[in-house]
């Protein structure tokens, strides 16, 4: 037998309804905020990520699935969604269309990480991008969107943490202060931090090594180095969140793992997810599009990890709709009746009713056992008598009661029964 690649997971038919629920909640929330879906390739030229995500990040340095294609070009399985959307935005000339540009994505992403709970090598993200608006309203709108999505999923114990990491000019002063602070401790810090110290000392604040955390905990805070414009922007974002009733904590330790961020950064953290508590992260990245194209376009966005959301939803026992099982199993007792089940099934399906028939020539007992296993809501039995009468014996599997229903009335009968149940059980977004 050939095994599944390490750090990857199958989504089985029995659990896919949970994914559909998250995806549907994402789509509905996006629609309310007037974001449209964008789909970009799984594979991009490696340069897009080394330039876009940034070559001082863990993602680019250690985690990328990079290989040469048959034409000897270096390509990479996307480790995140933003760089591809930014490329598509520039490459398709969308800056010339309606602005701001607002798009969301539901994607799989690939990172060569050490697999553990909530950390996979293939994982899935729901993300959003808002390009062209530099004011605080765009940050607040993006955070509200993320917040609404998590609330629509029924999550309650997810806390929003925000910070500002300033712009190029105020960050330069901050980096100097960080280097001054870390220099005397550098010999005790990890190898990665030594490189980060040279290339991008702010990355050190994101280090997960215990020995390094000891020092990063007392490092100078970016908030004390913000220039006037960045300080004003951050203040506005906070007051807009206050006005929307969105609760947040300012957390100076949040710097985000990607190079392209500026000003606002935020994370939604769950206490129910264990070590991998960040279910959603985002922020502003005003420098990204300029770095990839020719002109500056302000940008803000977020990405949520779907596997982590599933973990948190399970831990919080968030309400989810039930898996939809087949409505009616049609059991035929002999060749004649079986032929009729085949025709009846076509009619029912045309009427929008899900149904199944026996495909393995099984006994009635075996057919009932199967219908039970797949959770069929009704079983319609057709034997010699039923064929003569032109009616099926329809068993309601929930209450174990049967009724005779004429073949031509079967669709209407089932539709009436299930429509009452669906409207009663639907989880309302
Ligand atoms: P972490 O600090 O946990 O490594 P990150 O900063 O690398 O996260 P982002 O690049 O911001 O994460 O991705 C956004 C979201 O995608 C994360 O908040 C998380 O929910 C999810 N995510 C990131 N990496 C993985 C992974 N390897 N497996 C599963 N989910 C992931
Ligand atoms: Mg990471």
């Amino acid at each position: 037998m050939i095994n599944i690649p390490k750090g990857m997971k199958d989504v089985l038919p029995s659990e896919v309804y949970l994914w559909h629920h998250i995806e549907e909640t994402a789509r509905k929330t996006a629609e309310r905020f007037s974001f449209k879906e964008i789909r970009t390739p799984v594979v991009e030229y490696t340069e897009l990520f080394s330039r876009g995500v940034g070559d001082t990040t863990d993602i680019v340095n250690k985690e990328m699935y990079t290989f040469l294609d048959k034409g000897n070009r270096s390509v990479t399985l996307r480790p995140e969604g933003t760089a591809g959307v930014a490329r598509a935005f520039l490459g398709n000339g969308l800056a010339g269309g309606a602005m701001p540009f607002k798009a969301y994505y539901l994607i799989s992403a690939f990172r060569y990480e050490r697999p553990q709970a909530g950390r996979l090598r293939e994982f899935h993200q729901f993300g959003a991008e808002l390009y062209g608006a530099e004011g605080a309203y765009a940050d607040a709108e993006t955070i509200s969107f993320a917040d609404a999505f998590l609330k629509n999923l029924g999550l309650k114990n997810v806390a929003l943490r925000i910070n500002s990491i300033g712009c190029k000019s105020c960050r330069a002063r901050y980096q100097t202060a960080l280097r001054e602070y870390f220099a005397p401790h550098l010999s005790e810090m990890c190898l990665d931090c030594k490189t980060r110290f040279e290339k991008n000392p702010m990355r050190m604040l994101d280090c997960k090594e215990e020995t390094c955390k000891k020092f990063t905990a007392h490092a100078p805070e970016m908030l004390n180095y913000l220039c006037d414009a960045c300080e004003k922007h951050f203040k506005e974002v906070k007051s807009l969140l206050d006005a929307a009733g969105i609760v947040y904590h300012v957390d100076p330790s949040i710097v985000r793992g990607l190079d392209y961020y500026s000003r606002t950064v935020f994370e939604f953290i769950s206490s129910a997810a264990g070590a991998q508590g960040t279910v959603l992260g985002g922020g502003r990245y005003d420098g990204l599009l300029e770095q990839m194209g020719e002109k500056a376009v302000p940008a803000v966005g977020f990405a949520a990890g779907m596997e982590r959301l599933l973990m948190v939803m399970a831990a919080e026992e968030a309400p989810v709709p039930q898996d939809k099982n087949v409505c009616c199993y049609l059991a035929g007792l002999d060749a004649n009746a079986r032929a009729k089940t085949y025709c009846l099934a076509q009619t029912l399906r045309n009427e929008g009713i899900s149904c199944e028939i026996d495909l393995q020539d099984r006994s009635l007992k075996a057919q009932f056992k199967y219908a039970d296993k797949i959770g069929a809501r009704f079983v319609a039995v057709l034997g010699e008598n039923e064929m003569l009468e032109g009616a099926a014996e329809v068993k309601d599997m929930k209450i174990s009661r049967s009724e005779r229903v004429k073949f031509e009335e079967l669709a209407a009968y089932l539709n009436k029964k299930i429509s009452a149940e669906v409207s009663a059980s639907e989880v309302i977004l």
Side-chain angles (χ1 to χ4, degrees):
M1 224 205 44
I2 299 165
N3 291 326
I4 188 169
K6 196 173 166 194
M8 305 204 179
K9 263 190 179 167
D10 299 310
V11 177
L12 301 178
S14 59
E15 57 195 4
V16 79
Y17 73 100
L18 291 169
W19 286 81
H20 291 163
H21 171 59
I22 299 190
E23 288 159 5
E24 207 175 302
T25 305
R27 290 184 193 287
K28 280 189 182 162
T29 312
E31 203 179 300
R32 288 179 189 180
F33 282 81
S34 185
F35 280 63
K36 285 215 164 99
E37 185 178 1
I38 184 165
R39 300 186 186 193
T40 64
V42 173
V43 171
E44 298 273 3
Y45 290 127
T46 303
E47 196 193 348
L48 175 72
F49 302 113
S50 46
R51 253 215 284 168
V53 178
D55 53 13
T56 70
T57 62
D58 280 355
I59 295 181
V60 171
N61 277 332
K62 303 181 199 163
E63 299 171 358
M64 293 211 300
Y65 275 87
T66 297
F67 53 94
L68 291 178
D69 73 3
K70 288 195 194 332
N72 242 4
R73 288 172 287 253
S74 179
V75 292
T76 295
L77 301 183
R78 63 178 163 218
E80 53 91 62
T82 293
V85 176
R87 180 204 45 70
F89 171 81
L90 295 171
N92 292 286
L94 301 185
M99 291 296 274
F101 168 80
K102 296 158 82 184
Y104 76 89
Y105 55 81
L106 283 159
I107 58 166
S108 57
F110 302 83
R111 294 184 194 174
Y112 200 84
E113 300 202 65
R114 192 171 66 76
Q116 51 195 290
R119 202 173 282 289
L120 294 148
R121 289 183 175 176
E122 183 191 19
F123 63 101
H124 296 79
Q125 286 189 335
F126 165 51
E129 306 286 329
L130 198 166
Y131 299 162
E134 61 185 344
Y137 275 100
D139 307 53
E141 186 91 330
T142 306
I143 296 173
S144 303
F145 178 2
D147 180 70
F149 167 59
L150 298 174
K151 283 185 178 141
N152 288 338
L153 279 179
L155 297 177
K156 298 208 162 62
N157 299 310
V158 182
L160 168 61
R161 291 175 178 269
I162 64 169
N163 188 25
S164 174
I165 57 170
C167 60
K168 260 192 206 140
S169 68
C170 48
R171 208 148 55 209
R173 283 194 300 135
Y174 180 53
Q175 299 214 333
T176 309
L178 277 181
R179 285 202 180 96
E180 271 168 23
Y181 167 80
F182 281 123
H185 309 297
L186 205 56
S187 60
E188 294 170 69
M189 299 183 76
C190 76
L191 214 61
D192 282 339
C193 276
K194 288 183 179 121
T195 315
R196 291 171 185 140
F197 181 86
E198 300 297 335
K199 285 193 179 173
N200 185 354
M202 215 159 75
R203 273 282 74 69
M204 298 169 83
L205 301 177
D206 212 21
C207 187
K208 286 164 181 112
E209 298 289 330
E210 285 308 320
T211 46
C212 298
K213 277 189 185 167
K214 210 168 58 196
F215 301 114
T216 55
H218 303 105
E221 292 175 2
M222 181 68 224
L223 291 178
N224 298 327
Y225 292 82
L226 292 181
C227 65
D228 290 347
C230 286
E231 180 146 3
K232 182 167 168 273
H233 183 92
F234 192 47
K235 224 183 206 162
E236 277 172 17
V237 171
K238 287 187 290 183
S239 68
L240 288 169
L241 293 179
D242 290 335
I246 296 173
V247 178
Y248 59 86
H249 297 281
V250 175
D251 180 347
S253 76
I254 289 187
V255 291
R256 310 289 304 128
L258 280 59
D259 273 359
Y260 51 56
Y261 284 99
S262 60
R263 293 194 163 168
T264 317
V265 288
F266 59 90
E267 293 188 354
F268 284 85
I269 300 168
S270 165
S271 47
Q276 263 52 258
T278 304
V279 292
L280 186 152
R284 180 169 273 287
Y285 24 93
D286 289 343
L288 174 69
L289 282 120
E290 187 176 20
Q291 208 170 310
M292 289 174 41
E294 64 281 4
K295 73 176 190 182
V297 180
V300 49
F302 70 78
M306 313 259 276
E307 284 81 359
R308 290 192 197 173
L309 283 172
L310 281 170
M311 283 167 58
V312 174
M313 285 163 66
E316 281 200 21
E317 294 179 5
V320 288
Q322 284 193 338
D323 195 4
K324 280 198 189 99
N325 292 330
V326 71
C327 172
C328 187
Y329 182 87
L330 297 154
L333 294 190
D334 55 29
N336 193 21
R338 193 165 269 130
K340 183 67 187 171
T341 62
Y342 179 72
C343 296
L344 265 180
Q346 310 306 326
T347 312
L348 294 184
R349 287 168 185 157
N350 287 339
E351 294 291 326
I353 297 166
S354 65
C355 54
E356 265 197 61
I357 60 170
D358 174 42
L359 302 173
Q360 293 183 308
D361 224 352
R362 287 197 270 219
S363 69
L364 181 65
K365 194 174 159 203
Q367 290 190 55
F368 258 103
K369 205 166 153 191
Y370 173 74
D372 198 44
K373 238 186 210 164
I374 61 169
R377 183 70 188 78
F378 298 91
V379 177
V381 180
L382 278 71
E384 222 171 303
N385 286 342
E386 286 82 1
M387 288 302 288
L388 285 173
E389 268 178 52
E393 184 74 1
V394 182
K395 183 170 179 187
D396 184 328
M397 299 293 276
K398 232 185 218 166
I399 53 173
S400 265
R401 252 212 319 263
S402 298
E403 271 185 277
R404 272 286 211 260
V405 182
K406 283 196 183 129
F407 291 157
E408 61 273 19
E409 287 168 9
L410 189 56
Y413 174 87
L414 292 170
N415 256 335
K416 199 172 155 200
K417 289 257 179 192
I418 51 177
S419 63
E421 279 176 26
V422 168
S423 55
S425 71
E426 215 158 16
V427 171
I428 296 159
L429 180 69

